[in-house]
Amino acid sequence: MTHYRNIVILTGAGISAESGLATFRDQGGLWENHRIEEVATPEAFAFDPDLVQNFYNMRRAALGTVAPNAAHKALARLEAEHSGQVLVVTQNVDDLHERAGSKNLLHMHGELAKARCRPCGKVHDWREDLHQTTPCPACGAAPALRPHIVWFGEMPFHMDMIEAALYEADLFLSIGTSGNVYPAAGFVAQARSYSRAHTVELNLEPSEGHSQFAETIHGPAGQIVPDYVEKILGGG
Ligand code: APR
């Protein structure tokens, strides 16, 4: 049995790397082949909506070709077996945490498998390609549907719930993220200052913010995350 009560876990693209999904800033990452300004901003969508829709159509289609890895499954096990609270806050827009069994999960940057109607605001589960001609199933408008993704310059989702969870956390884990993008990169400082949480970085290599963590464990998530979960559940 562990002595931690409330565990908040931030995940980034690195936790999905071993499932075969490209990260953003590693060698050959998504931002090597695309300019953020051309595919991941509201201005890009206004300027060339078909280019942006296709960028997300390709990534949405890839979801069907990948599966959760041992790291996703370990976090789902932790939620199922830990007596206290476990909240996963993911920057990822893939559905691998859900498919691994995580339930208490917030997608702060949105979800590839969802589309949002700009006129009526309705958010729809969406697995197929999205085009400007695709009508909104709720209000029938077209063009209307956009990827339910938080673009650069837009506010991340669920920030109030995340803030409240950080206040209560006594353990904060950061897994597979480079610590380049705020507000997620600031969570470790909030967890430390709000609640004196123990903070651990689990990443392939030291991230931008590694010096802010009380503990750092480096290696592939598929190995180090199950080991760490075993340690927590075993009361290590
Ligand atoms: N195991 C653990 N960590 C890994 C692995 C692995 N197998 N492979 C890569 N990593 C680490 C890298 O070392 C890097 O620190 O995962 C991190 C990935 O960093 P990024 O590519 O920057 O992805 P992320 O931190 O999730 O980006 C944050 O930026 O572009 C925006 O909205 C996008 O949500 C994304 C945000």
Side-chain angles (χ1 to χ4, degrees):
M1 270 306 279
T2 176
H3 55 287
Y4 296 120
R5 288 182 334 283
N6 300 326
I7 304 172
V8 174
I9 304 164
L10 173 68
T11 65
I15 199 170
S16 297
E18 289 158 82
S19 294
L21 288 179
T23 62
F24 292 92
R25 295 172 181 83
D26 289 322
Q27 200 69 29
L30 280 169
W31 296 149
E32 260 194 17
N33 311 323
H34 300 275
R35 288 167 48 80
I36 288 176
E37 308 75 55
E38 287 168 357
V39 289
T41 63
E43 295 75 18
F45 188 62
F47 179 70
D48 189 343
D50 293 334
L51 176 79
V52 174
Q53 295 283 24
N54 286 335
F55 175 65
Y56 288 97
N57 287 343
M58 281 188 308
R59 293 176 65 196
R60 191 177 305 108
L63 289 182
T65 69
V66 295
N69 63 55
H72 297 105
K73 292 174 186 165
L75 296 189
R77 177 190 169 211
L78 180 62
E79 180 183 338
E81 297 181 18
H82 178 54
S83 55
Q85 280 290 319
V86 175
L87 172 67
V88 174
V89 177
T90 188
Q91 299 172 92
N92 299 341
V93 294
D94 64 56
D95 59 352
L96 296 175
H97 282 301
E98 293 86 333
R99 289 165 57 192
S102 285
K103 307 248 179 308
N104 200 15
L105 169 67
L106 296 174
H107 280 273
M108 64 181 289
H109 288 168
E111 298 174 65
L112 273 175
K114 286 198 165 70
R116 184 168 83 240
C117 177
R118 286 173 298 144
C120 78
K122 190 104 176 53
V123 176
H124 306 280
D125 288 335
W126 206 273
R127 293 272 164 188
E128 305 82 43
D129 284 355
L130 255 186
H131 302 288
Q132 289 298 88
T133 51
T134 312
C136 167
C139 72
L145 295 172
R146 60 163 276 182
H148 186 52
I149 298 282
V150 178
W151 286 327
F152 285 89
E154 295 183 323
M155 265 306 285
F157 298 140
H158 313 303
M159 288 308 292
D160 48 351
M161 291 167 71
I162 295 167
E163 186 107 6
L166 290 171
Y167 263 104
E168 301 301 320
D170 49 8
L171 178 62
F172 175 77
L173 309 182
S174 176
I175 303 174
T177 181
S178 62
N180 268 292
V181 174
Y182 285 81
F187 291 168
V188 54
Q190 287 173 271
R192 277 210 343 256
S193 66
Y194 290 164
S195 56
R196 315 242 165 289
H198 179 52
T199 55
V200 187
E201 170 174 276
L202 296 106
N203 206 56
L204 191 62
E205 65 215 358
S207 73
E208 286 289 309
H210 73 280
S211 57
Q212 298 182 68
F213 290 86
E215 188 182 359
T216 55
I217 303 170
H218 295 134
Q223 279 164 36
I224 62 176
V225 175
D227 289 351
Y228 196 79
V229 165
E230 181 58 37
K231 184 175 160 221
I232 298 177
L233 291 175

